[in-house]
Amino acid sequence: MSAREVNFDGLVGPTHTYGGLSLGNVASMSSEDQVSNPRDAALQGIGKMRTLLRMGLLQGVLPPHERPFVPALRRFGFAGSDGEVVEAAAKAAPALLRNCSSASAMWTANAATVSPSADTGDGRVHFTAANLAAMFHRSIEHPFTSRCLRRIFEGEAFSHHDALPGGGAMGDEGAANHTRLSASHDAPGLELFAYGRSAFEKLSGLHFLPRQAREASEAVARMHRLDPERTVYVRQSQEAVDSGAFHNDVVGVGNGPVLMFHERAYEDPRAMEDEIRRKSEPLGFEPVFLEVPADRVSLLDAIGSYLFNSQLITLPGGGTALILPTEAEDNPRTKRWVDAQVAGNGPITEAHFLDVKQSMKNGGGPACLRLRVVLTDAEREAARPGVLMDEGKLDALEDWVRTHYRDRLSPADLADPKLLEESRAALDALTQTLGLGSVYDFQM
Ligand code: SUG
């Protein structure tokens, strides 16, 4: 049984804006109110998919969510036609409209946690949509995420779980705080869950609050029927969270046997390494720890450049590539570190710097933009084929973006009811291209 990793990238939606919505996400906070370019954002994302496809990787897409999300605005008491709802919300509750218009579902690393069939007790691929409870604008994503995942991965081979209840601090941020270590993608793996706190801990006086609750990670592992002997929980360091590591994938990334992380990413990295070593032994692989020392790359440099928010990928012909944002090339310290890795005898054999600046300005690097789903050949054949990309489909998506997307958008423009119409026209056309059928609320 051969299994391969498919990266499902989120297509950037037509309402991509800089809303300054995410406290604790330094890039989002500092881009607030700037003018965005949804067209460039979407094209940059498609460009990244093309690069990976050409490297021989399997590439999928997940569609944008319907935004502004009128059903949510109605729940807050706005009434009338859909256009009237948007206009009334823009006048009476502009911040609410901003939140209900965010294209944040593009960061599909936060869509769900996925466990491949080689890891689960019942041999099915398990998906749990993330509740994203820590940020209002993201907490409204999971119902549609669940609907989409169920539509794409339908049948006996797949098991879907609704997002966890999300009151208080019971946050679950999905795959951004989860990674899998294994000998290869088709071998059974060790699943590593990073969390920032207990949901029931009384935290105060912190600069930024962690988003992921340990209880949420444990629940996901339980629902996915993971073997506790092949599961590791690790606490993020509060220093990293306070510096802007709102998700662990800002300071760590894993693939195959390799775990690359910043020296200050975790509260107790030595205990984590010991546990991973002990638990990987029966699985027949030796973990490779690539710890980046703070005296070579500071936490601030790591978070500012998104060095760790890169995709670490197994190349079909052998070797491991790092797909980084150009910001990590522009920073001399991170660039030097990457160059040294490629030149040395370590696991990283290639590095590619890609322009995803539109997403980066909201705190989303290459790794945020993709959800990794390891699928056997049979599971891949059972998935809806329209969402699996080839060059022709990427061309069609580019044409679609050029037809439907604006090249300038400020948060104030969200009040324009024409934007709602444009977005719906775009998404309606997209469901046909991707063969998804009617999936959006406005189509039902
Ligand atoms: O949840 N930014 C996202 C970025 C998510 C990045 N994902 C990973 N690290 N996996 C967030 O903070 C900003 C939206 C705005 O400000 O308009 C935003 O939602």
Side-chain angles (χ1 to χ4, degrees):
M1 183 179 65
S2 75
R4 289 183 67 189
E5 178 177 284
V6 189
N7 282 286
F8 282 84
D9 279 45
L11 259 179
V12 178
T15 59
H16 161 64
T17 33
Y18 298 122
L21 305 180
S22 287
L23 182 67
N25 169 344
V26 184
S28 150
M29 289 162 69
S30 55
S31 302
E32 179 164 3
D33 281 329
Q34 290 186 23
V35 174
S36 62
N37 186 332
R39 184 188 299 167
D40 275 357
L43 293 175
Q44 286 169 359
I46 295 168
K48 175 169 93 66
M49 296 187 223
R50 203 184 285 280
T51 302
L52 270 85
L53 193 73
R54 288 187 178 164
M55 293 171 85
L57 280 113
L58 296 172
Q59 183 66 54
V61 295
L62 294 178
H65 292 202
E66 165 185 344
R67 295 290 182 270
F69 193 42
V70 174
L73 294 169
R74 289 190 188 282
R75 295 279 304 276
F76 283 86
F78 294 102
S81 70
D82 289 353
E84 285 164 355
V85 165
V86 170
E87 277 175 326
K91 283 202 192 83
L96 182 67
L97 177 63
R98 238 181 224 217
N99 276 269
C100 292
S101 302
S102 174
S104 53
M106 64 202 262
W107 299 296
T108 51
N110 306 117
T113 307
V114 185
S115 297
S117 50
D119 294 355
T120 62
D122 59 0
R124 299 206 254 169
V125 186
H126 283 247
F127 298 82
T128 298
N131 69 16
L132 299 175
M135 299 286 143
F136 177 79
H137 69 290
R138 305 220 58 184
S139 69
I140 59 174
E141 291 176 25
H142 69 83
F144 184 73
T145 299
S146 281
R147 191 189 297 164
C148 263
L149 291 173
R150 286 184 158 101
R151 182 73 58 96
I152 294 169
F153 302 102
E154 216 174 320
E156 271 306 290
F158 309 107
S159 177
H160 294 274
H161 308 277
D162 288 338
L164 293 166
M170 193 57 80
D172 174 24
E173 300 278 322
N177 291 323
H178 170 254
T179 199
R180 180 173 185 264
L181 300 176
S182 58
S184 65
H185 289 144
D186 54 1
L190 191 72
E191 299 205 11
L192 179 63
F193 290 84
Y195 64 92
R197 61 178 300 165
S198 157
F200 308 117
E201 222 171 323
K202 293 173 186 64
L203 296 178
S204 62
L206 304 178
H207 188 46
F208 294 133
L209 284 171
R211 293 195 198 182
Q212 180 83 31
R214 177 172 176 129
E215 291 80 2
S217 303
E218 287 171 344
V220 171
R222 205 174 293 127
M223 294 190 297
H224 291 197
R225 307 200 196 183
L226 302 182
D227 178 350
E229 276 308 306
R230 286 164 49 193
T231 310
V232 174
Y233 300 95
V234 56
R235 188 170 181 146
Q236 294 178 275
S237 79
Q238 186 56 39
E239 184 191 0
V241 177
D242 281 340
S243 310
F246 56 98
H247 290 136
N248 181 67
D249 67 2
V250 173
V251 284
V253 58
N255 177 61
V258 183
L259 184 65
M260 165 178 151
F261 60 96
H262 191 272
E263 182 186 350
R264 303 274 166 77
Y266 305 109
E267 197 175 80
D268 189 349
R270 297 295 84 79
M272 173 190 76
E273 288 179 355
D274 288 347
E275 189 175 350
I276 293 176
R277 254 188 230 106
R278 178 172 67 73
K279 290 184 169 174
S280 55
E281 207 183 310
L283 294 171
F285 73 93
E286 214 172 299
V288 180
F289 299 114
L290 208 55
E291 180 176 330
V292 182
D295 60 8
R296 288 187 65 186
V297 175
S298 69
L299 256 185
L300 242 48
D301 276 333
I303 291 165
S305 69
Y306 263 36
L307 167 66
F308 295 89
N309 201 262
S310 48
Q311 289 177 251
L312 191 61
I313 52 175
T314 306
L315 296 166
T320 299
L322 204 51
I323 309 295
L324 305 116
T326 48
E327 283 77 355
E329 189 175 30
D330 298 340
N331 177 315
R333 272 118 17 225
T334 51
K335 173 74 163 60
R336 205 173 308 130
W337 187 84
V338 172
D339 287 347
Q341 296 311 306
V342 175
N345 289 325
I348 298 169
T349 51
E350 290 178 19
H352 302 263
F353 297 92
L354 305 187
D355 179 4
V356 287
K357 284 200 171 56
Q358 284 286 323
S359 167
M360 282 288 287
K361 287 178 66 173
N362 254 341
C368 299
L369 285 161
R370 59 92 175 98
L371 179 67
R372 295 186 279 191
V373 186
V374 171
L375 297 169
T376 63
D377 294 343
E379 289 157 358
R380 208 164 60 241
E381 269 153 38
R384 213 166 258 260
V387 294
L388 294 171
M389 293 293 107
D390 56 28
E391 293 269 357
K393 284 185 193 165
L394 291 178
D395 292 343
L397 286 180
E398 282 184 354
D399 289 344
W400 168 80
V401 169
R402 291 200 175 94
T403 308
H404 293 281
Y405 280 51
R406 296 191 185 186
D407 60 3
R408 263 187 80 80
L409 201 63
S410 72
D413 297 329
L414 297 168
D416 178 4
K418 281 210 291 294
L419 181 68
L420 175 70
E421 283 169 35
E422 288 165 28
S423 305
R424 287 184 176 178
L427 299 183
D428 210 25
L430 180 69
T431 47
Q432 297 184 21
T433 311
L434 299 181
L436 282 175
S438 295
V439 66
Y440 292 108
D441 287 67
F442 75 87
Q443 294 174 315
M444 291 176 179

